[in-house]
Amino acid sequence: ATAELVAAAGGDVEVVPTPGHPAILGTITGAGPRLLRYGMYDVQPAEEPDWETPPFGAEITHRVGVGPVVVARGAANSKGTLAATLLALASLRAIDDVPATVVLLVDGEEELGSPNLPGVVEANRPRLAAEAAFDLDLMADRDGTPEVFLGCKGILSLHLTCRGGDWGAPVETAIHSSLGVAVDNPAWSLLRALGALVGPGEEVLVPGIASLPPPDEDRPLVAALVEEVELESWREEFGVRRLKRAQGARELVEGLLYEPAVSLNGIAAGYPRGGKTIIPHVAEAEVDFRLPYGTDMEEAARGAIARVNEVAPEVAITVSDTCHAARTSANSPVARAMIKSHEDEGHSARVWPSAPWWAPYFLFERTLELPFAIGGAGH
């Protein structure tokens, strides 16, 4: 369907096979500069039980304090804006010339960490050549203030598993908890391993992972963000009643930009609903580290594995994802153009030197050596 939208916008399109989901390359020719538009067509799984409308129905509903909205998996982040871009280009071609050549790079695996996209980019360097790159999403807050991002943190994802074996614990199946006086429990081992990664305030306790000082170029942007960020509005936006420690606007901004964080994404062991008194034979968890630009990813992984091995060597660790951070300059023409595009609509954008989330923008920086910017209207 994505390839069909590219073709309908007047583009030459190619579906590029990969060992996973294919990528889509396209070119919509215009008269001006050559710009690379990144996008994604995959989504997070729609497994939650409490969807108010079918997750792929794209139904319009009314939200208090917001108004009419489209509720759908992928309406934001960022399939809605990719479709909007292609529909806008199709409409523009019907009435006028397109003022730039838009090269499209659309990933089908971003939610998996884009494992095959580097190979696609490397194999298609000439086709992806451009003067600058950009991405779009619904970047405004509920007050309509848009945000522009000039980079992102990296991700290190680890899967931890503890199974019964020669070290102890049940091997084949769960056993009765009355035997706990004599038999090890994999769930306790897993909890010790997880506890070794963080301190009492969830600060990261891993060698090679630390906060990094802001570059000099970022300091004016940080000062402006500190003045603009309203803590109460920020908490309301994300449904948070309090922050994890006493933070003012500066601590929040600098933390999102330059501090590492580790999150426990999920944990599974035994029978948590109650009614079965058992010692499980397996326990597992997934964690991700959000790492500021400049962190050595291999050193970070070695440090995390070493911390776990110190306290619970029976816990096995595999690296699920290694996603590199990226950054670009606020002084590049594409960044200035992205910021000015919001000013042309009557808004003053908040400019973030980095995002706390991730996308494969390191391919712009490292492989294609392009300046880039991320922005977009709407919320």
Side-chain angles (χ1 to χ4, degrees), residues 125-187:
R125 278 175 177 257
R127 182 167 184 175
L128 297 172
E131 295 180 39
F134 70 103
D135 191 8
L136 300 174
D137 203 352
L138 303 172
M139 292 297 188
D141 63 18
R142 292 189 181 188
D143 295 328
T145 301
E147 296 184 313
V148 171
F149 295 90
L150 303 173
C152 62
K153 283 181 173 176
I155 302 177
L156 171 65
S157 293
L158 303 177
H159 194 84
L160 286 69
T161 306
C162 188
R163 296 181 178 275
D166 292 343
W167 69 275
V171 176
E172 298 293 338
T173 187
I175 62 175
H176 199 274
S177 64
S178 62
L179 303 175
V181 69
V183 180
D184 294 304
N185 190 320

Side-chain angles (χ1 to χ4, degrees), residues 184-207:
D184 294 304
N185 190 320
W188 289 126
S189 292
L190 181 65
L191 290 175
R192 284 196 296 274
L194 294 170
L197 301 177
V198 295
E202 297 185 19
E203 65 273 19
V204 182
L205 299 180
V206 172

Side-chain angles (χ1 to χ4, degrees), residues 39-188:
M40 57 190 285
Y41 69 81
D42 63 324
V43 293
Q44 290 277 347
E47 297 173 345
E48 300 90 345
D50 54 353
W51 280 90
E52 62 189 67
T53 63
F56 297 102
E59 295 185 15
I60 297 175
T61 186
H62 188 277
R63 286 288 178 87
V64 175
V66 180
V69 296
V70 175
V71 176
R73 176 62 92 216
N77 188 28
S78 56
K79 278 60 64 181
T81 45
L82 176 61
T85 298
L86 295 171
L87 293 170
L89 285 167
S91 298
L92 180 59
R93 285 175 57 88
I95 60 172
D96 204 346
D97 295 329
V98 177
T101 291
V102 180
V103 181
L104 294 156
L105 170 64
V106 184
D107 191 10
E109 300 179 316
E110 187 187 294
E111 302 294 2
L112 303 174
S114 301
N116 293 298
L117 196 63
V120 172
V121 172
E122 186 65 43
N124 291 275
R125 278 175 177 257
R127 182 167 184 175
L128 297 172
E131 295 180 39
F134 70 103
D135 191 8
L136 300 174
D137 203 352
L138 303 172
M139 292 297 188
D141 63 18
R142 292 189 181 188
D143 295 328
T145 301
E147 296 184 313
V148 171
F149 295 90
L150 303 173
C152 62
K153 283 181 173 176
I155 302 177
L156 171 65
S157 293
L158 303 177
H159 194 84
L160 286 69
T161 306
C162 188
R163 296 181 178 275
D166 292 343
W167 69 275
V171 176
E172 298 293 338
T173 187
I175 62 175
H176 199 274
S177 64
S178 62
L179 303 175
V181 69
V183 180
D184 294 304
N185 190 320
W188 289 126

